[in-house]
Amino acid sequence: MGLLDRFFGSPRDRFAAEALRIARRAPGIVRAAYDAEKFAVAAWRDGSGSPVWIYLANVFAETQDARPADRAARLTQLVRIILTPHDDEGWDEVRTRLRPVLRPDTFGQAGPMGMVPPLSRTALPHLRELVVVDRPESMAYVTPPRLEEWGVSADDVFAAARQNLAELAEQSLRQHWPDGNAMVRMVDSGDGYFTSLLLAPGWLAGVSERMGEPVVAFVPDVNTVLLCPADGGAATALHTIVESEFSEAARSISPVGYIAGDGGRVVPYAPPAGHPAHPAAQRARVLLTVTQYRSQTEWLSAQYAEHGIDVYVGGLLAAAAADEPPFTVASWGDGIESLLPEADFIAFAGPDGVWGRVPWDAVARLVPLTPEPLLTPARYRVGGWPAPDVMQQLRAYAVD
C-alpha cells in the first residue's frame, strides 16, 4: 500500500467516496451507503424500503486513465441515470423501445443470494439474450418484476425486442457493404445495438451474401463487431486481435467467432481439425468457457462461505497436450461433495493421485448427472465416485 492509499484510501475507495457524495446530493435520495465488498453504492429514495444499487466496477475500469474532471462527469451521469425513477413506464410506452442484447452467461448473476437477475434466455454457448429498455442516455435491463407491472409474459417481451431489432437489421443490410476481401469493424456509439444484430435471424447470412462469401463475426465487447472472410488466413489472424480486445475490455462479450449456419442461424465458428483456423477457434472457445466458469466459481465460493454451505465449487482448467489445441479439464474428487463444471474431460482425483482424462460425453452417458438448478453455466452436484463397475468402464475411455 502506498502512502497516498494509507492516508486517503485506495483508488477504488476514493472513486466510491466520490460516487457516494454524488448519490447523497441527488434529488429524492434520503440515504446512501457504500458497500466495499460489492464495490457499489446503495441509495434509498424517499418512501422506498429497498435501495437502488449503483455498481461501480465497469465505470471505474473505463475511466482509470481519464482526467479527473472527465471521470467526475462520467460518474455524475451514471448516478443521475440510475437514480432517475421511471415508474410511469407502462407496456405501451416501453414496447417499441425494447432491444435484445448479448451478454456472457454470468452477467448480472454475481450479486448477493436472493438478488433477482435480469430476464434472460440462452442464445449461444456461454452467451445469453437479455432485454433492455432503450433510453436517450442509457439502457435499463428488464427484470422479472417488470413483467408483472406491465401485465405481459417473458415471451411477449422477447418477441417485442426481436421485432424492434429486425428493423435495425434491415437498416444495416441496406447499407453499402464491401466485397469479401475486406475486414469490417463496426463500433457502436451507444444506440446502434450492433452486437445485438447477431440475434437477428438472417442478418449474418445477409452480410455474407452482400460480401460475396461466408463471413465470421466477432463481438469482443459490447460496442464492437468485427467481420472478416471465413476462408483464407484473415480469421486466424483476427482471433489474436479479438482475444486481446476481449481480455482488456471492461464490458467483454466473447472471443469466439460466429458464422451463419443452416437456415441462417448464427452458430460458433468451429472449423474442422486441419483447417488453419482450427487451433485459434478452439483456443477462443476454451477462453470463453474458462472465463465464465472462473467468474461463477469466485462468486459461488464467496456466497457459500458467507452462508456456511459446505460444498466445494470445482474449478475449470485450460490445458493442452503436445500438438493438440487447448481443451478444458475438471477434477472429480472422491468423497467430496462438489459442484462439477462441464468440461471437455474429467480427471478423477483420489487418495492414490489423479488418473484419466475421460471425455465428458462418456461420463455423461455412464453416470446420471443432473444440472444444479438456476446455475449458468451448468454444474452438477456429485459426491463419491461412481460404483466400481462404472469406474472400470470410465477407465476404458480415458485418453491418458
Side-chain angles (χ1 to χ4, degrees):
M1 179 182 292
L3 186 62
L4 185 63
D5 292 352
R6 190 173 301 160
F7 284 98
F8 299 102
S10 69
R12 284 167 59 100
D13 291 337
R14 296 196 294 273
F15 188 81
E18 188 172 6
L20 186 60
R21 287 194 297 271
I22 294 170
R24 285 171 172 167
R25 294 197 299 263
I29 298 302
V30 296
R31 182 163 68 93
Y34 171 51
D35 188 316
E37 184 178 350
K38 295 185 178 70
F39 193 30
V41 170
W44 285 260
R45 296 192 185 103
D46 189 15
S48 175
S50 59
V52 176
W53 284 96
I54 306 167
Y55 291 93
L56 304 173
N58 285 335
V59 70
F60 174 73
E62 293 168 350
T63 60
Q64 284 192 92
D65 298 326
R67 295 180 302 172
D70 294 337
R71 185 170 58 248
R74 177 76 182 279
L75 191 51
T76 299
Q77 181 189 41
L78 172 71
V79 172
R80 175 175 54 78
I81 288 172
I82 292 179
L83 295 185
T84 299
H86 295 275
D87 300 331
D88 57 342
E89 290 182 327
W91 176 244
D92 290 337
E93 288 77 25
V94 303
R95 181 169 50 188
T96 59
R97 294 191 283 122
L98 296 176
R99 304 286 186 271
V101 294
L102 268 178
R103 295 293 183 266
D105 266 351
T106 55
F107 178 86
Q109 295 183 8
M113 282 192 172
M115 184 195 78
V116 179
L119 179 71
S120 71
R121 65 183 181 185
T122 299
L124 289 158
H126 298 300
L127 298 184
R128 300 189 69 77
E129 177 182 355
L130 288 76
V131 177
V132 300
V133 179
D134 183 52
R135 294 172 179 154
E137 291 185 295
S138 65
M139 61 175 67
Y141 291 93
V142 176
T143 57
R146 297 307 302 269
L147 275 58
E148 295 183 21
E149 297 173 17
W150 295 335
V152 297
S153 68
D155 288 341
D156 294 330
V157 171
F158 282 114
R162 285 292 189 99
Q163 181 179 351
N164 298 333
L165 179 65
E167 298 176 10
L168 298 178
E170 290 175 8
Q171 294 173 15
S172 169
L173 291 176
R174 286 197 294 267
Q175 305 299 316
H176 169 73
W177 288 90
D179 62 33
N181 294 321
M183 186 188 82
V184 177
R185 179 183 286 268
M186 302 168 63
V187 180
D188 201 330
S189 61
D191 57 0
Y193 292 91
F194 292 158
T195 58
S196 299
L197 291 170
L198 291 187
L199 295 168
W203 178 79
L204 190 53
V207 172
S208 298
E209 180 181 342
R210 284 154 180 76
M211 294 182 69
E213 62 179 289
V215 168
V216 180
F218 295 90
V219 285
D221 60 66
V222 298
N223 294 319
T224 305
V225 177
L226 289 163
L227 303 165
C228 75
D231 297 327
T236 304
L238 198 52
H239 270 97
T240 302
I241 297 172
V242 168
E243 179 177 329
S244 176
E245 294 188 7
F246 167 79
S247 300
E248 295 174 2
R251 303 173 194 255
S252 61
I253 296 182
S254 170
V256 173
Y258 300 94
I259 196 166
D262 294 339
R265 180 173 173 268
V266 172
V267 295
Y269 177 55
H275 189 284
H278 176 70
Q282 283 289 92
R283 178 181 172 88
R285 178 189 67 84
V286 167
L287 176 59
L288 176 61
T289 305
V290 169
T291 299
Q292 289 307 293
Y293 271 113
R294 182 188 302 122
S295 296
Q296 186 192 59
T297 299
E298 293 172 354
W299 171 65
L300 280 176
S301 298
Q303 291 297 312
Y304 285 3
E306 180 180 346
H307 293 85
I309 300 174
D310 188 18
V311 176
Y312 175 69
V313 183
L316 186 74
L317 300 178
D323 301 321
E324 287 186 23
F327 52 84
T328 59
V329 181
S331 179
W332 183 339
D334 189 18
I336 301 173
E337 185 175 7
S338 61
L339 292 178
L340 185 71
E342 188 168 326
D344 295 327
F345 298 96
I346 297 298
F348 290 85
D352 298 327
V354 178
W355 67 265
R357 183 158 56 102
V358 182
W360 176 265
D361 289 345
V363 176
R365 187 169 60 254
L366 295 171
V367 183
L369 296 173
T370 302
E372 190 75 0
L374 304 179
L375 289 184
T376 305
R379 287 182 180 270
Y380 305 83
R381 189 178 292 260
V382 297
W385 283 351
D389 60 320
V390 176
M391 291 295 290
Q392 186 174 357
Q393 295 178 64
L394 290 171
R395 285 180 182 271
Y397 284 100
V399 297
D400 56 19

